[in-house]
Amino acid sequence: MLRIGPGTRSPTGLLAATGQNAAKDDVDGPPEKEATIDPAVNWTLKYLEAPQDYAGSASRVFLGVQIQCAQCHDHKTEAWKQKDFQSFASAALHFKNEQIDKGMVKGLRRVDVQDAQRVIPRVQKDPELAGVAKAPPVVLDGTKLPNGLETRKAFAGWMTSKQNAWFAKAFVNRMWGHFLGRGFSDPVDDLRPSNPLAVPAVLELLANDFAASNFDVRHLLRTIALSEAYAASASKDPKILRDDGEDVRLWTHFRLTPLGPEELLNALFLATGFDQTMEKAARAQAVDRARADLQKSFGFLFDVDEEFDAEDYSGTVTQALTLMNGGLVNYGAARLPGSALDEILKSSKTDSDTLRALFLRSLGRPPTAAESTRFLAYVAGATRSIDANAIEAARTAEEPPKPDGNAATGNAKGKPGKEKGQKPKEKGAGKKKNPLGAGDPAGRLAGRLGVADPKRAAWEDVFWSLLTSSEFFFNH
Amino acid sequence: MSDSQFPPFRRNANVSRRALLQGSLGALAASFLLPRAAQAGVVAAGKKPAKAVILLWMNGGPSHIDTWDPKSGPDGTAHKRIKTKNKNLEIVEPLSEIADVADRITVVRSLTHKEGNHQRAQYLMHTGYSPNPTVTHPSFGGWVGTELGDPKGGLPAFVSIGGPSFSAGFLGVEHGPFVLPRGGDLPRNSGYAAGVDGERFDARKKLLDGLDSEFLAKTGDRKVAGRHEVTEKALRLMRSPDLAAFNIAAESETTRAAFGDTDFGRGCLGAVRLVEHGVKFVEVVLDGWDTHLDVNGRTAKLGRTLAPAYAALIKELASRKLLDDTLVLWMGDFGRTPKRNGNDGRDHHPKAASVVLAGGGIKPGLVYGATDERGDNVVKDPVTLPNLLATCATLLGIDPDEKRITPIGRPISVTDSGKPIAALIAP
């Protein structure tokens, strides 16, 4: 949400923020005079290197207007010309910034941002930005702003006011896109007249309502959440599909969106009870570290770029490898002390009970009749018991020289024994490393897998398939 | 389960729906029809384009003055200057191993740009564009991987070793880099998990395919088909005979020793093996060049990591007959200031930097461009990043002017309409 806190952290406050980006408590800086601390100035500071991008970003993010297109030259089809861009950019840049400490302190550069009579010196000095420096401050609907100390406040005020026709629309469009997988415009930040809108009347209605509510975000979210579009199931009605299976109508069904990194990680923890399993296997410190490592690697691997056209999102090979072969899903799906599967098997009387519990726990629904038949037959027909140590020993024997790439194999506390033909490990390249980091509990978990009888192994397979499924991966 | 339960997945990341609607496909289609090598008109007729790129990325911005463009004077380099096999090229002593391969490489001493901030400079150097709020530009690696396609053996087209590199931007997440934290090792999770072997994996995978095909039937959403395709790709990688290309343990002790006992050296040897197995773009990162402090000590240390690895890389590619097909590119964020600061370091200096090229059809043995006597300004043959990338694209048989449509419907080219530098291309 844009209003991330009380007071100044509304969009208006974000654009007009003044003060320091960090307090002296955050760093060991010199004693300071009475200072206003407002981390919101970081939005402004982000553009110090390229101040001409500030207005472009602000209008794209908050108004869905791609004014940036007019930065270099005029376009016949666009409403704004280069001189409009320069006036708009200038309106946003009436501030000065002063570094507080010498250099960085604790990796942080503390800066004080204040309103200024003229645009920032960086723009005044750069010959390429002369046009911006000289332009009188005017906003996109032609309203002239006062030229001086109060320019930036006036700019921020206009950006988020009801007089500005784009703000409410852009915000509603973004929220609609966020909840429903596609905005009224596609991409969500392009509301230019040249980009046709889907059902513009609905956007208009919602935007007017949002403005009338005095930009009450809760009210808007409630409206969207109670809409029929949001309540639609992810199943498509075959009647509305084209021959090639593509649905050309929007919001007749819920559009799948991939879970974000934290959502996915938390969903996996919740489904598997993996953190409890780790806690039973290792010291709290090691568990915390493993959890932090997972958060970091999921944050990197499963980052969902919101700018990217989500309609085509299908993930990466690294993600697929992490889910299929990584420790989290594999140990999470295993029957280990404290694990979800262990609990479920202990409390279920019949195979049907177990299957139902696993489905509910991972997908939030019971199995269909066809799924029941298939999965129960798989469990009942299982004949192979799995000896994790034997598998490990066989793998070590057949794959010299030993790579360290494999998630879990490196640390299985099996008894593979001394293998013939295995080269001694070289320095650096052959170091054992677990995907969950050094000293991590997963290595201990590998040692606890032991021998699974056919039925236990089969249930682990079922759970694994539920956790790696697309139904689990996508919000639907 | 057979794959036929999943309908073919049509990606449209390269051509936006709007482009299709507006019927602006004509120009694109026409450029697809031209044979790649002939498009640019700079590569001589009948010459085969290069097949791969190895980018040695010097993270932080290497001092040109203390590496490839040594200067004397009070603020010049403290390193000894040495002669090389190229009589026009002197380099610093910590790079001594490179002297021996200097006749096979070409040093550009005149790269110049305007981005003095790491993030922005790294973006520019990887994509050819300064950051712009309206679009995420594809990195050159993403672009090359997309143009040249996935290797047949199941390896990814674009691999980055020791750093995250840059995404393929609007070309789509599937064209982004396959990231390895360290070189020389198999990728994480590329083998079965503990307690899982091939037989058990197949059984599990069959259950998974059953769930996914039903979910696809129910939702009809092509993201599900796309995800299935990515899973199959991951499986092909796991079971590819070429997977071993990641692991340098198969190389002889002598070969490995030549690259040096460093992550960067192992990454470079890994890059040779990957290119040998059809990977189209490998980035290997050497970090630590942001030498605001002690520029002499730091560049000496980094040089001793870089030089053996670089020389061995050129020699190894040549001995495997891969050098003519592989463009090796050495560069970093920017150059560094001619004046040493109070901490005996050098600060950011985008006005002048060095770039080194080898293989892939470049004209070897040149020193192209020059800076003034302090290393402050480029005084001869300035090279911009768009022109550098256009040169590289041309060598790879990619039309430097080929346009792709961004999500907001703007056509942009891989090189920001750069022009290839004919003097750098072998006749």
Side-chain angles (χ1 to χ4, degrees):
Chain A
M1 263 347 72
L2 289 174
R3 185 174 283 277
I4 51 174
T8 61
R9 294 177 196 184
S10 65
T12 327
L14 200 62
L15 293 166
T18 53
Q20 297 182 6
N21 58 338
K24 79 166 178 196
D25 302 341
D26 297 340
V27 296
D28 301 322
E32 58 194 349
K33 49 185 193 289
E34 282 297 304
T36 316
I37 309 298
D38 189 351
V41 297
N42 283 314
W43 165 270
T44 300
L45 293 175
K46 197 176 135 191
Y47 295 97
L48 281 188
E49 293 284 340
Q52 67 277 22
D53 288 352
Y54 185 113
S57 269
S59 77
R60 181 180 64 87
V61 170
F62 295 116
L63 309 181
V65 172
Q66 304 269 351
I67 184 78
Q68 202 76 15
C69 299
Q71 184 184 336
C72 313
H73 52 85
D74 294 349
H75 292 259
K76 284 196 188 84
T77 54
E78 303 293 333
W80 293 283
K81 305 298 175 200
Q82 192 178 21
K83 120 181 135 26
D84 302 315
F85 172 82
Q86 290 167 343
S87 280
F88 186 62
S90 133
L93 296 173
H94 279 252
F95 69 91
K96 57 184 179 187
N97 57 292
E98 206 173 283
Q99 192 163 334
I100 299 162
D101 315 290
K102 266 193 181 168
M104 312 253 269
V105 187
K106 284 190 185 167
L108 193 74
R109 200 183 297 278
R110 288 198 308 153
V111 181
D112 189 32
V113 173
Q114 293 301 334
D115 292 326
Q117 200 72 33
R118 302 183 57 195
V119 297
I120 63 167
R122 164 90 172 68
V123 171
Q124 295 174 40
K125 278 185 240 154
D126 190 332
E128 281 184 19
L129 298 176
V132 174
K134 283 186 210 134
V138 180
V139 287
L140 297 179
D141 62 359
T143 305
K144 292 193 176 77
L145 301 185
N147 195 349
L149 272 177
E150 61 278 36
T151 305
R152 204 156 146 268
K153 292 252 178 324
F155 168 79
W158 176 84
M159 283 289 286
T160 54
S161 74
K162 291 181 195 172
Q163 282 74 52
N164 164 352
W166 296 280
F167 179 67
K169 269 193 193 168
F171 193 85
V172 166
N173 189 43
R174 238 171 220 285
M175 288 299 110
W176 187 268
H178 177 76
F179 284 100
L180 289 150
R182 189 206 189 273
F184 296 94
S185 75
D186 178 37
V188 77
D189 54 11
D190 185 5
L191 286 170
R192 284 178 301 173
S194 57
N195 185 21
L197 290 172
V199 285
V202 179
L203 175 60
E204 192 83 37
L205 201 69
L206 283 169
N208 289 341
D209 181 54
F210 180 51
S213 75
N214 226 354
F215 301 133
D216 182 343
V217 176
R218 278 164 181 269
H219 171 74
L220 173 63
L221 297 193
R222 202 179 300 120
T223 311
I224 294 176
L226 291 175
S227 70
E228 275 182 42
Y230 189 67
S233 100
S235 300
K236 276 186 187 175
D237 178 352
K239 290 197 292 289
I240 60 168
L241 300 185
R242 265 190 338 215
D243 292 348
D244 62 0
E246 185 64 8
D247 176 13
V248 287
R249 290 191 249 174
L250 304 167
W251 311 304
T252 51
H253 64 282
F254 191 83
R255 287 176 178 251
L256 302 181
T257 44
L259 297 180
E262 281 172 31
E263 293 166 326
L264 181 62
L265 188 59
N266 290 336
L268 284 169
F269 274 153
L270 210 61
T272 59
F274 184 64
D275 36 357
Q276 284 101 289
T277 317
M278 280 198 294
E279 274 159 24
K280 283 198 195 295
R283 280 172 308 145
Q285 228 184 343
V287 174
D288 287 346
R289 208 164 42 224
R291 204 180 280 128
D293 278 354
L294 274 171
Q295 262 155 5
K296 205 171 137 196
S297 76
F298 266 59
F300 176 66
L301 290 176
F302 292 90
D303 189 19
V304 183
D305 184 356
E306 286 181 16
E307 311 269 321
F308 186 66
D309 184 353
E311 283 194 49
D312 278 334
Y313 188 86
S314 48
T316 65
V317 167
T318 316
Q319 293 176 354
L321 292 174
T322 306
L323 290 181
M324 290 196 297
N325 302 325
L328 175 54
V329 170
N330 279 282
Y331 297 118
R335 183 172 190 181
L336 287 164
S339 72
L341 182 59
D342 188 46
E343 268 173 38
I344 288 172
L345 284 171
K346 277 182 188 156
S347 63
S348 303
K349 290 202 180 69
T350 64
D351 285 353
S352 297
D353 288 350
T354 306
L355 187 67
R356 189 184 156 81
L358 283 175
F359 261 79
L360 286 173
R361 180 124 187 184
S362 51
L363 305 182
R365 64 169 177 91
T368 64
E371 284 164 341
S372 282
T373 311
R374 205 168 64 238
F375 282 101
L376 292 175
Y378 180 80
V379 173
T383 54
R384 186 180 179 220
S385 61
I386 298 285
D387 182 343
N389 293 337
I391 287 178
E392 185 57 25
R395 178 160 30 224
T396 318
E398 109 198 357
E399 288 178 9
K402 182 140 175 87
D404 83 342
N406 193 311
T409 59
N411 280 24
K413 290 253 174 72
K415 297 168 202 73
K418 297 264 185 294
E419 300 308 324
K420 276 168 263 157
Q422 195 188 1
K423 283 187 193 163
K425 231 151 255 139
E426 79 223 283
K427 201 179 159 193
K431 233 182 279 166
K432 282 191 178 181
K433 207 166 176 229
N434 199 289
L436 302 178
D440 95 79
R444 294 161 188 262
L445 294 179
R448 294 182 184 202
L449 288 173
V451 182
D453 62 51
K455 204 160 174 179
R456 176 191 135 184
W459 279 124
E460 291 176 348
D461 296 342
V462 169
F463 200 18
W464 178 93
S465 72
L466 292 167
L467 296 171
T468 51
S469 71
S470 279
E471 191 170 349
F472 190 90
F473 186 77
F474 288 110
N475 190 13
H476 52 274
Chain B
M1 188 193 70
S2 89
D3 239 49
S4 62
Q5 281 176 257
F6 289 92
F9 177 55
R10 297 183 320 276
R11 291 187 193 288
N12 67 352
N14 298 336
V15 183
S16 78
R17 275 172 306 288
R18 194 176 318 148
L20 284 165
L21 289 173
Q22 291 173 342
S24 62
L25 264 177
L28 275 175
S31 77
F32 288 144
L33 294 176
L34 286 167
R36 283 202 285 117
Q39 287 170 356
V42 178
V43 174
K47 227 184 137 188
K48 284 198 177 135
K51 294 177 185 147
V53 179
I54 295 175
L55 166 61
L56 304 175
W57 176 254
M58 302 298 114
N59 205 50
S63 165
H64 54 304
I65 295 163
D66 302 284
T67 52
W68 306 98
D69 195 5
K71 301 291 178 189
S72 15
D75 279 321
T77 184
H79 299 310
K80 215 180 108 195
R81 290 156 71 154
I82 57 166
K83 296 206 180 307
T84 68
K85 272 198 178 173
N86 174 350
K87 63 178 173 20
N88 298 320
L89 179 68
E90 278 193 11
I91 56 177
V92 298
E93 183 277 328
L95 300 183
S96 54
E97 284 93 339
I98 294 174
D100 198 30
V101 296
D103 55 336
R104 311 185 114 151
I105 67 177
T106 273
V107 175
V108 173
R109 282 179 169 164
S110 54
L111 184 86
T112 178
H113 66 78
K114 287 175 180 163
E115 300 295 354
N117 161 290
H118 289 293
Q119 248 181 331
R120 295 181 60 87
Q122 287 163 9
Y123 186 97
L124 170 75
M125 295 297 285
H126 278 86
T127 66
Y129 287 82
S130 287
N132 176 318
T134 58
V135 61
T136 308
H137 299 95
S139 62
F140 191 55
W143 198 294
V144 169
T146 308
E147 286 281 339
L148 305 190
D150 284 337
K152 288 192 185 72
L155 298 184
F158 175 18
V159 176
S160 180
I161 299 172
S165 189
F166 278 71
S167 81
F170 66 81
L171 293 180
V173 65
E174 69 274 19
H175 296 295
F178 183 82
V179 179
L180 296 172
R182 297 185 306 161
D185 288 339
L186 287 183
R188 258 183 193 185
N189 300 319
S190 61
Y192 303 122
V196 180
D197 56 11
E199 187 187 339
R200 191 180 192 196
F201 189 90
D202 286 341
R204 291 177 155 195
K205 180 70 171 39
K206 210 172 149 192
L207 294 176
L208 168 62
D209 285 345
L211 282 167
D212 278 357
S213 65
E214 275 166 10
F215 190 58
L216 175 65
K218 200 157 93 182
T219 60
D221 196 309
R222 66 161 172 243
K223 285 192 285 289
V224 180
R227 188 167 180 269
H228 174 76
E229 195 178 272
V230 170
T231 305
E232 292 300 316
K233 218 167 145 182
L235 193 60
R236 271 202 299 283
L237 176 65
M238 286 167 66
R239 292 180 172 171
S240 168
D242 289 354
L243 183 65
F246 283 105
N247 192 350
I248 58 164
E251 297 290 336
S252 76
E253 190 89 34
T254 330
T255 308
R256 278 182 285 147
F259 283 80
D261 184 13
T262 61
D263 276 340
F264 180 70
R266 282 181 282 275
C268 287
L269 178 51
V272 173
R273 290 175 58 84
L274 290 172
V275 163
E276 196 172 30
H277 288 85
V279 174
K280 303 301 179 350
F281 196 104
V282 187
E283 174 167 340
V284 190
V285 179
L286 179 58
D287 196 10
W289 290 97
D290 195 17
T291 50
H292 291 287
L293 305 168
D294 184 22
V295 66
N296 293 319
R298 299 269 297 275
T299 53
K301 193 156 173 275
L302 287 160
R304 292 197 179 102
T305 297
L306 168 67
Y310 187 87
L313 175 67
I314 301 299
K315 288 178 187 167
E316 200 60 39
L317 285 171
S319 80
R320 296 187 195 199
K321 310 241 174 312
L322 292 168
L323 189 58
D324 289 342
D325 291 336
T326 309
L327 176 64
V328 181
L329 202 53
W330 180 101
M331 61 190 194
D333 314 18
F334 29 57
R336 303 200 78 90
T337 45
K339 190 168 169 47
R340 264 181 277 169
N341 64 24
N343 294 317
D344 229 4
R346 297 188 196 275
D347 302 322
H348 305 175
H349 193 68
K351 272 201 293 181
S354 295
V355 171
V356 185
L357 304 157
I362 64 123
K363 193 189 266 176
L366 300 181
V367 176
Y368 186 83
T371 53
D372 58 26
E373 59 181 20
R374 298 176 61 235
D376 188 8
N377 287 299
V378 170
V379 291
K380 195 183 146 207
D381 297 333
V383 171
T384 64
L385 203 67
N387 290 352
L388 178 70
L389 288 186
T391 310
C392 298
T394 303
L395 291 169
L396 290 157
I398 298 170
D399 178 1
D401 243 356
E402 183 189 321
K403 302 281 195 292
R404 301 243 181 189
I405 309 293
T406 73
I408 63 163
R410 198 175 121 213
I412 69 159
S413 74
V414 55
T415 62
D416 201 3
S417 306
K419 298 279 168 277
I421 303 161
L424 293 175
I425 296 175

